[in-house]
Amino acid sequence: PKDWPEVLLDLKIGLGQDVVGASVDIKQAGGLGELVVQFEGLGRVPASQLSDGQLSFLALAALLHLKEEASVVLIDEPEGHL
């Protein structure tokens, strides 16, 4: 996406300067996807291995870059993310 440099900057601000990228890995069986964050030195870290705080930050950072006319954000247990 054209705003990827801005997204990456936000990820670095919240998750650390060693973030070098993020992607969604799609599994062929069932078409399920998993968010993966790539860190310099650590390599690829799947969302299942990130902390609750890191996941909350990713969700909030995503809000900044969603297009208003076609976006939905669902947050499970919103009281845990205040």
Side-chain angles (χ1 to χ4, degrees):
K2 65 181 180 179
D3 62 341
W4 177 245
E6 294 174 25
V7 173
L8 187 57
L9 178 61
D10 288 342
L11 295 180
K12 288 177 178 265
I13 289 169
L15 300 179
Q17 292 299 312
D18 55 342
V19 172
V20 294
S23 61
V24 175
D25 287 351
I26 304 296
K27 311 273 189 255
Q28 292 296 334
L32 298 176
E34 181 175 30
L35 176 67
V36 176
V37 179
Q38 186 167 348
F39 294 89
E40 186 175 318
L42 287 177
R44 297 168 49 83
V45 178
S48 61
Q49 299 299 311
L50 297 174
S51 72
D52 288 345
Q54 289 171 315
L55 292 172
S56 294
F57 176 81
L58 287 169
L60 293 173
L63 287 173
L64 294 173
H65 300 282
L66 292 176
K67 293 179 175 39
E68 291 181 24
E69 66 275 1
S71 299
V72 174
V73 176
L74 303 173
I75 299 178
D76 184 34
E77 299 180 10
E79 68 279 2
H81 303 281
L82 298 177

